[in-house]
């Protein structure tokens, strides 16, 4: 079955760190760019970060640049998001999303169910 | 960045009726526009890309149209499983941006 499964969310204090993972199955993971997209409670969708299929190119929204790092391990079919210096405004459900191309086409044809990150003291 | 504005925020429709959702871009995005459906507690699902191309497995009752700054998603005859929130997304300019969503609810 083609699917994405996120993990690693939880409650963290402001200024803290968290690493999200996304396990992919059912497709050739290394052939596709991947993104993280988040959704704050009751709000719309916000693209956060993307990485090419090879991992050689990465992209970040201005709101997370310098604080978040996207990476992937194609041998493990897993996408990661290292989140540092977390702020209350980073509270959201974080979705892992698959791009149709190896380099980003920038729309998303498969999404995971998401993992909730809550930044609060 | 390009601002995507969806209207209406909420659309009340009876099963079997047609639903028309609008999405406007603050500047031209050509045909680089996607639509997604999201049900409560679920991941978004790609419906349309390239403004009018249905994604794999999407029923023919879903259709997209438009180019430039004005786009429409039409659901020709609403089924019970279609009541959800719909988002448009432009991918013509970086960073990609989403609209605020239209909730389609049962009338």
């Amino acid at each position: 079955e083609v699917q994405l499964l996120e993990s690693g969310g939880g409650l963290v204090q402001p200024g803290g760190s968290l690493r999200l993972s996304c396990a992919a199955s059912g497709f050739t993971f290394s052939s596709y760019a991947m993104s993280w997209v988040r959704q704050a409670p009751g709000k719309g969708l916000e693209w956060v970060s993307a990485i090419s299929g090879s991992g050689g190119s990465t992209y970040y929204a201005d709101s997370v640049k310098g604080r978040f790092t996207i990476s992937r391990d194609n041998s493990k079919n897993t996408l990661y998001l290292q989140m540092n210096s977390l702020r209350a405004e980073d509270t959201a459900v974080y979705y892992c999303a698959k791009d149709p191309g190896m380099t980003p086409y920038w729309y998303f044809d498969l999404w995971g169910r998401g993992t909730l990150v809550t930044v609060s003291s | 960045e390009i601002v995507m504005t969806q209207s209406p925020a909420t659309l009340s429709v009876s099963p079997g009726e047609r639903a028309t959702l609008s999405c406007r871009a603050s500047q031209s995005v050509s045909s680089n526009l996607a639509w997604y459906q999201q049900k409560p507690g679920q991941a978004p699902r790609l419906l349309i890309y390239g403004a009018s191309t249905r994604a794999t497995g999407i029923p023919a009752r879903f259709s997209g149209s438009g180019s430039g700054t004005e786009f429409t998603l039409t659901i020709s005859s609403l089924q019970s499983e279609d009541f959800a929130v719909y988002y448009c997304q432009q991918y013509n300019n970086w960073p990609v941006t989403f609209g605020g969503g239209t909730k389609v609810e049962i009338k």
Side-chain angles (χ1 to χ4, degrees):
Chain A
E1 182 184 2
V2 178
Q3 67 176 0
L4 299 169
L5 185 61
E6 302 92 337
S7 61
L11 175 63
V12 61
Q13 293 188 337
S17 298
L18 213 54
R19 187 175 87 152
L20 307 183
S21 299
C22 171
S25 59
F27 62 97
T28 305
F29 181 66
S30 59
S31 293
Y32 300 97
M34 299 292 295
S35 278
W36 289 97
V37 178
R38 68 185 180 184
Q39 186 171 35
K43 302 296 185 181
L45 299 164
E46 178 190 17
W47 171 80
V48 172
S49 183
I51 187 168
S52 61
S54 67
S57 297
T58 57
Y59 312 82
Y60 298 94
D62 287 346
S63 58
V64 306
K65 194 175 298 182
R67 300 188 298 123
F68 290 11
T69 302
I70 191 171
S71 62
R72 64 192 297 160
D73 185 337
N74 287 342
S75 68
K76 296 183 178 179
N77 292 342
T78 303
L79 176 72
Y80 302 101
L81 185 68
Q82 177 66 44
M83 304 186 295
N84 299 331
S85 303
L86 282 160
R87 307 166 179 167
E89 55 263 37
D90 296 318
T91 294
V93 174
Y94 284 73
Y95 294 102
C96 165
K98 172 186 168 291
D99 194 286
M102 178 171 281
T103 55
Y105 282 27
W106 296 109
Y107 65 93
F108 312 110
D109 60 2
L110 179 68
W111 299 62
R113 284 181 162 260
T115 187
L116 176 62
V117 172
T118 303
V119 184
S120 175
S121 55
Chain B
E1 70 179 41
I2 294 178
V3 176
M4 306 300 292
T5 303
Q6 292 186 242
S7 62
T10 304
L11 186 61
S12 298
V13 185
S14 299
E17 289 188 340
R18 173 186 295 258
T20 303
L21 289 66
S22 295
C23 175
R24 174 177 293 176
S26 60
Q27 64 187 75
S28 177
V29 299
S30 187
S31 294
N32 295 312
L33 191 285
W35 289 94
Y36 301 90
Q37 176 194 68
Q38 186 178 32
K39 298 179 182 179
Q42 296 188 19
R45 178 174 70 146
L46 176 67
L47 298 175
I48 301 284
Y49 62 94
S52 61
T53 302
R54 277 189 303 277
T56 302
I58 300 304
R61 65 180 181 273
F62 291 91
S63 63
S65 63
S67 66
T69 61
E70 301 284 343
F71 300 88
T72 300
L73 175 69
T74 301
I75 311 170
S76 60
S77 177
L78 271 158
Q79 306 298 302
S80 57
E81 62 266 29
D82 300 335
F83 293 95
V85 179
Y86 293 83
Y87 294 96
C88 62
Q89 178 223 335
Q90 69 81 19
Y91 53 97
N92 191 68
N93 288 56
W94 190 90
V96 301
T97 49
F98 294 85
T102 291
K103 180 180 181 180
V104 177
E105 64 176 24
I106 300 174
K107 187 174 183 180

